[in-house]
Amino acid sequence: MPTNRQILLDNRPKGEASVDNFKLVSTETPPLKDGQVLVRHHFLSLDPYMRGRMNDSKSYAASQPLGEVMIGGTVGVVAESKHPRYAVGDQVVGMGGWQEYSVVDAEQPGALRKVDTTHVPLSHYLGAVGMPGVTAWYGLVKIINPKAGDTVVVSAATGAVGSAFGALAKARGCRAVGIAGGPEKCQYAVQELGFDACIDYRLHKDMYSLAKALKEACPNGIDGYFENVGGMVLDAVLLRMNAFGRIAVCGMIAGYDGQPLPLANPALILVNRLKVEGFIVSEHMEVWPEALKELGTLVGTGKLRPRETVAQGIAAAPEAFLGLLKGKNFGKQLVKLV
Protein backbone atom coordinates (compact mmCIF):
# COMPACT_ATOMS: atom_id res chain seq x y z
CA MET A 1 0.00 0.00 0.00
CA PRO A 2 1.25 3.54 -0.73
CA THR A 3 2.72 5.88 1.86
CA ASN A 4 0.31 8.67 2.77
CA ARG A 5 1.54 12.08 3.92
CA GLN A 6 -0.92 13.91 6.16
CA ILE A 7 -1.27 17.26 7.93
CA LEU A 8 -2.62 16.95 11.48
CA LEU A 9 -3.88 19.65 13.83
CA ASP A 10 -1.16 19.42 16.49
CA ASN A 11 -2.35 22.17 18.88
CA ARG A 12 -4.97 24.92 19.00
CA PRO A 13 -4.19 28.53 18.07
CA LYS A 14 -3.96 31.18 20.75
CA GLY A 15 -5.13 34.20 18.79
CA GLU A 16 -3.75 34.17 15.25
CA ALA A 17 -3.14 30.75 13.68
CA SER A 18 0.43 29.76 12.74
CA VAL A 19 2.28 26.95 10.99
CA ASP A 20 3.24 25.63 14.43
CA ASN A 21 -0.39 24.52 14.94
CA PHE A 22 0.09 21.84 12.26
CA LYS A 23 2.19 18.68 11.99
CA LEU A 24 3.25 16.74 8.87
CA VAL A 25 3.34 12.95 9.28
CA SER A 26 3.65 9.89 7.04
CA THR A 27 1.66 6.69 7.43
CA GLU A 28 0.77 3.57 5.47
CA THR A 29 -2.71 3.44 3.92
CA PRO A 30 -4.64 0.50 5.39
CA PRO A 31 -5.90 -2.41 3.26
CA LEU A 32 -9.40 -1.93 1.85
CA LYS A 33 -12.44 -3.63 3.31
CA ASP A 34 -15.51 -4.54 1.25
CA GLY A 35 -17.42 -1.38 0.26
CA GLN A 36 -14.38 0.88 0.51
CA VAL A 37 -12.36 2.74 -2.13
CA LEU A 38 -8.88 4.24 -2.03
CA VAL A 39 -8.75 7.75 -3.50
CA ARG A 40 -5.52 9.43 -4.66
CA HIS A 41 -6.17 13.12 -4.10
CA HIS A 42 -5.19 15.49 -6.89
CA PHE A 43 -6.33 18.75 -5.25
CA LEU A 44 -7.11 19.85 -1.70
CA SER A 45 -9.47 22.74 -1.00
CA LEU A 46 -8.51 25.38 1.57
CA ASP A 47 -11.44 27.37 2.94
CA PRO A 48 -11.96 30.02 5.65
CA TYR A 49 -14.36 27.85 7.68
CA MET A 50 -11.39 25.64 8.63
CA ARG A 51 -10.05 28.39 10.91
CA GLY A 52 -13.14 28.26 13.10
CA ARG A 53 -12.86 24.47 13.37
CA MET A 54 -9.34 24.85 14.81
CA ASN A 55 -10.77 26.49 17.95
CA ASP A 56 -12.17 24.50 20.86
CA SER A 57 -15.37 26.49 21.11
CA LYS A 58 -19.08 26.19 20.47
CA SER A 59 -19.94 26.57 16.79
CA TYR A 60 -22.24 25.12 14.14
CA ALA A 61 -19.89 22.16 13.70
CA ALA A 62 -17.67 20.11 15.99
CA SER A 63 -14.13 21.34 16.59
CA GLN A 64 -11.31 19.71 14.64
CA PRO A 65 -9.93 16.99 16.96
CA LEU A 66 -6.28 17.33 17.93
CA GLY A 67 -3.93 14.75 16.43
CA GLU A 68 -6.23 14.01 13.49
CA VAL A 69 -6.09 14.88 9.79
CA MET A 70 -7.36 18.41 9.10
CA ILE A 71 -10.80 18.50 7.52
CA GLY A 72 -11.01 19.54 3.87
CA GLY A 73 -12.64 18.93 0.51
CA THR A 74 -10.69 16.95 -2.08
CA VAL A 75 -10.92 15.83 -5.69
CA GLY A 76 -9.00 12.89 -7.06
CA VAL A 77 -9.01 9.55 -8.80
CA VAL A 78 -10.01 6.12 -7.50
CA ALA A 79 -6.74 4.15 -7.10
CA GLU A 80 -8.31 0.93 -5.80
CA SER A 81 -11.90 -0.17 -5.28
CA LYS A 82 -13.85 -2.78 -3.39
CA HIS A 83 -17.18 -1.18 -4.22
CA PRO A 84 -19.26 -2.06 -7.31
CA ARG A 85 -20.18 1.56 -8.14
CA TYR A 86 -16.60 2.79 -8.32
CA ALA A 87 -13.88 1.67 -10.71
CA VAL A 88 -10.18 2.44 -10.79
CA GLY A 89 -9.75 5.71 -12.69
CA ASP A 90 -13.12 7.24 -11.71
CA GLN A 91 -12.77 10.95 -10.88
CA VAL A 92 -14.43 11.81 -7.57
CA VAL A 93 -15.04 14.61 -5.11
CA GLY A 94 -15.28 14.14 -1.34
CA MET A 95 -14.02 15.28 2.06
CA GLY A 96 -10.70 13.47 2.09
CA GLY A 97 -8.90 16.01 4.29
CA TRP A 98 -5.35 17.34 4.28
CA GLN A 99 -3.66 14.17 3.02
CA GLU A 100 -2.54 12.53 -0.21
CA TYR A 101 -4.82 9.48 0.00
CA SER A 102 -8.06 8.61 1.74
CA VAL A 103 -9.89 5.36 2.36
CA VAL A 104 -13.61 6.06 1.90
CA ASP A 105 -16.63 4.02 2.93
CA ALA A 106 -18.50 4.48 -0.34
CA GLU A 107 -21.82 3.36 1.17
CA GLN A 108 -21.89 6.38 3.46
CA PRO A 109 -24.35 8.95 1.98
CA GLY A 110 -22.56 11.95 0.48
CA ALA A 111 -19.09 10.58 1.18
CA LEU A 112 -18.07 10.41 -2.49
CA ARG A 113 -19.46 11.65 -5.78
CA LYS A 114 -18.31 10.96 -9.33
CA VAL A 115 -17.69 14.03 -11.51
CA ASP A 116 -17.49 14.63 -15.25
CA THR A 117 -14.49 16.65 -16.42
CA THR A 118 -15.54 16.88 -20.10
CA HIS A 119 -16.43 20.58 -19.79
CA VAL A 120 -15.45 21.39 -16.19
CA PRO A 121 -11.84 20.97 -14.96
CA LEU A 122 -11.45 18.63 -11.99
CA SER A 123 -10.22 21.38 -9.66
CA HIS A 124 -13.37 23.48 -10.27
CA TYR A 125 -15.41 20.87 -8.38
CA LEU A 126 -13.80 22.29 -5.22
CA GLY A 127 -14.73 25.85 -6.15
CA ALA A 128 -17.20 27.22 -8.67
CA VAL A 129 -18.94 23.87 -9.23
CA GLY A 130 -18.53 22.68 -5.66
CA MET A 131 -19.28 23.73 -2.10
CA PRO A 132 -18.30 27.43 -2.58
CA GLY A 133 -20.45 27.74 -5.70
CA VAL A 134 -23.45 26.12 -4.02
CA THR A 135 -22.91 28.42 -1.04
CA ALA A 136 -23.18 31.45 -3.33
CA TRP A 137 -26.24 29.96 -5.02
CA TYR A 138 -28.09 29.28 -1.77
CA GLY A 139 -27.42 32.72 -0.29
CA LEU A 140 -28.50 34.49 -3.46
CA VAL A 141 -31.45 32.36 -4.52
CA LYS A 142 -32.93 31.21 -1.21
CA ILE A 143 -32.19 34.15 1.11
CA ILE A 144 -31.64 37.30 -0.97
CA ASN A 145 -34.12 36.10 -3.63
CA PRO A 146 -33.54 39.08 -5.96
CA LYS A 147 -35.66 40.26 -8.83
CA ALA A 148 -34.25 41.71 -12.06
CA GLY A 149 -32.96 45.23 -11.49
CA ASP A 150 -32.09 44.72 -7.81
CA THR A 151 -28.67 45.79 -6.56
CA VAL A 152 -26.75 43.06 -4.76
CA VAL A 153 -23.36 43.31 -3.07
CA VAL A 154 -20.87 40.64 -2.01
CA SER A 155 -17.73 40.95 0.12
CA ALA A 156 -14.63 38.90 -0.74
CA ALA A 157 -15.92 39.28 -4.29
CA THR A 158 -13.05 37.58 -6.11
CA GLY A 159 -12.88 34.52 -3.87
CA ALA A 160 -14.44 31.18 -4.75
CA VAL A 161 -17.84 32.12 -3.29
CA GLY A 162 -17.87 35.75 -4.39
CA SER A 163 -16.95 35.07 -8.02
CA ALA A 164 -19.76 32.52 -8.35
CA PHE A 165 -22.16 34.96 -6.67
CA GLY A 166 -21.38 37.61 -9.30
CA ALA A 167 -22.10 35.29 -12.23
CA LEU A 168 -25.30 34.00 -10.64
CA ALA A 169 -26.50 37.55 -9.89
CA LYS A 170 -25.83 38.78 -13.43
CA ALA A 171 -27.71 35.75 -14.82
CA ARG A 172 -30.73 37.05 -12.87
CA GLY A 173 -30.50 40.59 -14.24
CA CYS A 174 -29.12 42.19 -11.07
CA ARG A 175 -26.66 45.01 -10.63
CA ALA A 176 -23.75 43.18 -8.99
CA VAL A 177 -21.24 45.12 -6.89
CA GLY A 178 -18.21 43.53 -5.29
CA ILE A 179 -15.96 44.47 -2.38
CA ALA A 180 -12.39 43.18 -2.61
CA GLY A 181 -8.85 43.99 -1.49
CA GLY A 182 -6.54 45.70 -3.97
CA PRO A 183 -6.80 47.20 -7.47
CA GLU A 184 -5.86 43.96 -9.26
CA LYS A 185 -8.71 42.04 -7.65
CA CYS A 186 -11.20 44.84 -8.35
CA GLN A 187 -10.09 45.00 -11.99
CA TYR A 188 -10.55 41.22 -12.31
CA ALA A 189 -14.01 41.43 -10.72
CA VAL A 190 -15.22 43.92 -13.32
CA GLN A 191 -13.33 42.84 -16.44
CA GLU A 192 -13.45 39.03 -16.09
CA LEU A 193 -16.18 38.20 -13.60
CA GLY A 194 -18.67 40.73 -14.98
CA PHE A 195 -19.37 42.77 -11.85
CA ASP A 196 -20.85 46.20 -12.57
CA ALA A 197 -18.49 47.78 -10.03
CA CYS A 198 -15.97 46.72 -7.39
CA ILE A 199 -14.81 48.67 -4.35
CA ASP A 200 -11.30 48.32 -2.92
CA TYR A 201 -11.91 48.26 0.84
CA ARG A 202 -8.21 48.87 1.49
CA LEU A 203 -8.66 52.46 0.34
CA HIS A 204 -11.07 53.15 3.21
CA LYS A 205 -10.09 53.68 6.83
CA ASP A 206 -13.57 53.59 8.37
CA MET A 207 -17.14 52.55 7.66
CA TYR A 208 -18.23 56.06 6.62
CA SER A 209 -15.61 56.27 3.89
CA LEU A 210 -16.55 52.79 2.64
CA ALA A 211 -20.26 53.64 2.83
CA LYS A 212 -19.63 56.71 0.65
CA ALA A 213 -17.97 54.50 -1.98
CA LEU A 214 -20.93 52.10 -1.76
CA LYS A 215 -23.33 55.02 -2.33
CA GLU A 216 -21.51 55.88 -5.57
CA ALA A 217 -21.45 52.25 -6.74
CA CYS A 218 -25.04 51.60 -5.64
CA PRO A 219 -26.97 54.80 -6.43
CA ASN A 220 -30.30 53.03 -5.81
CA GLY A 221 -29.17 51.54 -2.49
CA ILE A 222 -28.55 47.88 -1.72
CA ASP A 223 -31.34 45.31 -1.91
CA GLY A 224 -29.30 42.22 -1.06
CA TYR A 225 -25.94 41.63 0.61
CA PHE A 226 -23.91 38.41 0.82
CA GLU A 227 -21.65 38.58 3.87
CA ASN A 228 -18.27 36.83 3.97
CA VAL A 229 -16.25 39.26 6.08
CA GLY A 230 -18.08 41.15 8.86
CA GLY A 231 -16.54 44.00 10.84
CA MET A 232 -16.24 47.42 9.20
CA VAL A 233 -17.49 46.08 5.87
CA LEU A 234 -20.82 44.98 7.35
CA ASP A 235 -21.16 48.27 9.22
CA ALA A 236 -20.69 50.20 5.98
CA VAL A 237 -23.15 48.06 4.03
CA LEU A 238 -25.84 48.48 6.73
CA LEU A 239 -25.66 52.24 6.18
CA ARG A 240 -26.66 51.74 2.52
CA MET A 241 -29.27 48.94 2.78
CA ASN A 242 -32.73 49.62 1.40
CA ALA A 243 -35.89 48.98 3.40
CA PHE A 244 -36.81 45.28 3.41
CA GLY A 245 -33.31 44.33 2.21
CA ARG A 246 -31.97 40.82 2.72
CA ILE A 247 -28.58 39.83 4.13
CA ALA A 248 -27.23 36.29 3.74
CA VAL A 249 -24.55 35.68 6.37
CA CYS A 250 -22.05 33.08 5.17
CA GLY A 251 -18.79 33.98 6.89
CA MET A 252 -17.13 36.40 9.29
CA ILE A 253 -13.48 36.08 8.33
CA ALA A 254 -12.65 39.37 10.07
CA GLY A 255 -13.36 37.60 13.37
CA TYR A 256 -11.80 34.20 12.87
CA ASP A 257 -9.04 34.95 15.36
CA GLY A 258 -11.63 34.76 18.12
CA GLN A 259 -12.12 38.45 18.89
CA PRO A 260 -15.72 39.73 19.10
CA LEU A 261 -17.07 41.66 16.11
CA PRO A 262 -19.50 44.25 17.48
CA LEU A 263 -22.01 45.95 15.17
CA ALA A 264 -21.80 49.74 15.08
CA ASN A 265 -25.46 50.38 14.17
CA PRO A 266 -27.63 47.32 14.90
CA ALA A 267 -30.71 49.57 15.05
CA LEU A 268 -30.53 49.80 11.25
CA ILE A 269 -31.79 46.19 11.11
CA LEU A 270 -35.01 47.40 12.73
CA VAL A 271 -35.22 50.78 10.99
CA ASN A 272 -34.97 49.15 7.54
CA ARG A 273 -36.88 45.96 8.50
CA LEU A 274 -34.00 43.87 7.24
CA LYS A 275 -33.96 40.09 6.94
CA VAL A 276 -30.62 38.77 8.24
CA GLU A 277 -30.11 35.03 7.94
CA GLY A 278 -27.06 32.89 8.56
CA PHE A 279 -26.77 29.53 6.83
CA ILE A 280 -24.54 26.47 6.49
CA VAL A 281 -24.72 25.03 2.99
CA SER A 282 -24.17 21.43 4.08
CA GLU A 283 -27.54 21.62 5.87
CA HIS A 284 -29.31 22.18 2.55
CA MET A 285 -28.24 19.19 0.46
CA GLU A 286 -31.62 19.18 -1.30
CA VAL A 287 -30.63 22.22 -3.41
CA TRP A 288 -27.21 20.91 -4.49
CA PRO A 289 -28.32 19.16 -7.73
CA GLU A 290 -30.15 22.27 -9.01
CA ALA A 291 -27.33 24.59 -7.97
CA LEU A 292 -24.56 22.43 -9.43
CA LYS A 293 -26.41 22.14 -12.73
CA GLU A 294 -26.60 25.92 -13.11
CA LEU A 295 -23.02 26.46 -11.94
CA GLY A 296 -21.70 23.77 -14.29
CA THR A 297 -23.51 25.43 -17.19
CA LEU A 298 -22.08 28.86 -16.30
CA VAL A 299 -18.52 27.45 -16.24
CA GLY A 300 -19.02 25.29 -19.35
CA THR A 301 -20.33 28.24 -21.37
CA GLY A 302 -17.62 30.63 -20.17
CA LYS A 303 -20.00 32.91 -18.24
CA LEU A 304 -18.16 32.07 -15.02
CA ARG A 305 -14.39 32.09 -15.34
CA PRO A 306 -13.03 31.27 -11.90
CA ARG A 307 -9.41 31.90 -11.05
CA GLU A 308 -7.33 29.63 -8.82
CA THR A 309 -4.30 30.08 -6.59
CA VAL A 310 -2.45 26.77 -6.37
CA ALA A 311 0.15 25.76 -3.80
CA GLN A 312 2.33 22.76 -4.60
CA GLY A 313 2.46 19.69 -2.36
CA ILE A 314 0.84 18.71 0.94
CA ALA A 315 3.65 20.32 2.98
CA ALA A 316 2.68 23.72 1.54
CA ALA A 317 -0.91 23.54 2.87
CA PRO A 318 -0.41 25.33 6.23
CA GLU A 319 1.36 28.37 4.72
CA ALA A 320 -1.22 28.57 1.91
CA PHE A 321 -4.05 28.38 4.44
CA LEU A 322 -2.62 31.20 6.55
CA GLY A 323 -2.21 33.28 3.40
CA LEU A 324 -5.87 32.66 2.53
CA LEU A 325 -6.94 34.07 5.91
CA LYS A 326 -5.01 37.26 5.10
CA GLY A 327 -6.43 37.57 1.57
CA LYS A 328 -3.18 36.68 -0.22
CA ASN A 329 -4.94 34.24 -2.57
CA PHE A 330 -6.55 35.23 -5.87
CA GLY A 331 -9.74 33.26 -6.40
CA LYS A 332 -10.04 29.71 -5.08
CA GLN A 333 -7.13 28.51 -2.92
CA LEU A 334 -6.05 24.96 -3.72
CA VAL A 335 -3.15 22.64 -2.98
CA LYS A 336 -2.01 20.45 -5.88
CA LEU A 337 -1.08 17.00 -4.62
CA VAL A 338 -0.13 15.15 -7.82
Side-chain angles (χ1 to χ4, degrees), residues 23-186:
K23 184 179 182 180
L24 176 65
V25 301
S26 294
T27 184
E28 298 297 314
T29 55
L32 294 186
K33 299 174 183 175
D34 288 343
Q36 292 183 330
V37 297
L38 177 67
V39 179
R40 175 58 164 115
H41 301 151
H42 284 216
F43 290 95
L44 163 67
S45 173
L46 299 179
D47 299 281
Y49 77 83
M50 297 169 177
R51 176 61 187 86
R53 298 281 184 95
M54 292 170 71
N55 296 333
D56 186 14
S57 58
K58 184 181 183 298
S59 187
Y60 58 83
S63 297
Q64 166 74 38
L66 291 177
E68 293 191 14
V69 176
M70 276 290 293
I71 188 173
T74 49
V75 287
V77 173
V78 174
E80 186 184 345
S81 177
K82 286 195 174 182
H83 193 285
R85 282 205 310 272
Y86 294 92
V88 172
D90 283 349
Q91 297 181 96
V92 292
V93 59
M95 292 293 289
W98 293 27
Q99 55 184 342
E100 294 172 332
Y101 290 86
S102 61
V103 173
V104 183
D105 180 358
E107 285 297 330
Q108 188 178 342
L112 213 57
R113 178 169 57 90
K114 292 185 201 179
V115 294
D116 181 0
T117 57
T118 306
H119 302 292
V120 177
L122 181 62
S123 59
H124 285 8
Y125 285 101
L126 292 175
V129 195
M131 179 272 290
V134 180
T135 299
W137 189 97
Y138 189 90
L140 179 70
V141 176
K142 296 298 184 180
I143 297 177
I144 295 173
N145 188 24
K147 61 182 185 296
D150 278 0
T151 296
V152 295
V153 175
V154 61
S155 52
T158 61
V161 175
S163 56
F165 181 92
L168 292 164
K170 292 307 296 178
R172 284 159 176 76
C174 298
R175 176 174 176 80
V177 175
I179 301 172
E184 187 185 3
K185 288 184 177 180
C186 286

Side-chain angles (χ1 to χ4, degrees), residues 232-264:
M232 181 190 83
V233 176
L234 177 56
D235 287 332
V237 169
L238 282 172
L239 291 170
R240 301 303 313 149
M241 289 295 297
N242 288 331
F244 305 103
R246 290 82 62 199
I247 298 177
V249 183
C250 168
M252 289 276 177
I253 200 169
Y256 279 167
D257 287 339
Q259 297 302 312
L261 282 180
L263 271 178

Side-chain angles (χ1 to χ4, degrees), residues 1 4-5 7 12 62 77-78 85 90 110 114 129 139 159 169 218 253 266 282 286 290 320:
M1 300 297 286
N4 183 22
R5 293 195 300 164
I7 300 282
R12 301 203 186 278
V77 173
V78 174
R85 282 205 310 272
D90 283 349
K114 292 185 201 179
V129 195
C218 310
I253 200 169
S282 60
E286 73 281 356
E290 180 184 356

Side-chain angles (χ1 to χ4, degrees), residues 290-319:
E290 180 184 356
L292 289 170
K293 183 178 180 182
E294 181 176 357
L295 291 159
T297 300
L298 287 172
V299 170
T301 56
K303 293 178 180 176
L304 172 53
R305 291 182 287 176
R307 191 180 287 196
E308 297 170 338
T309 298
V310 183
Q312 299 291 328
I314 190 67
E319 283 279 10

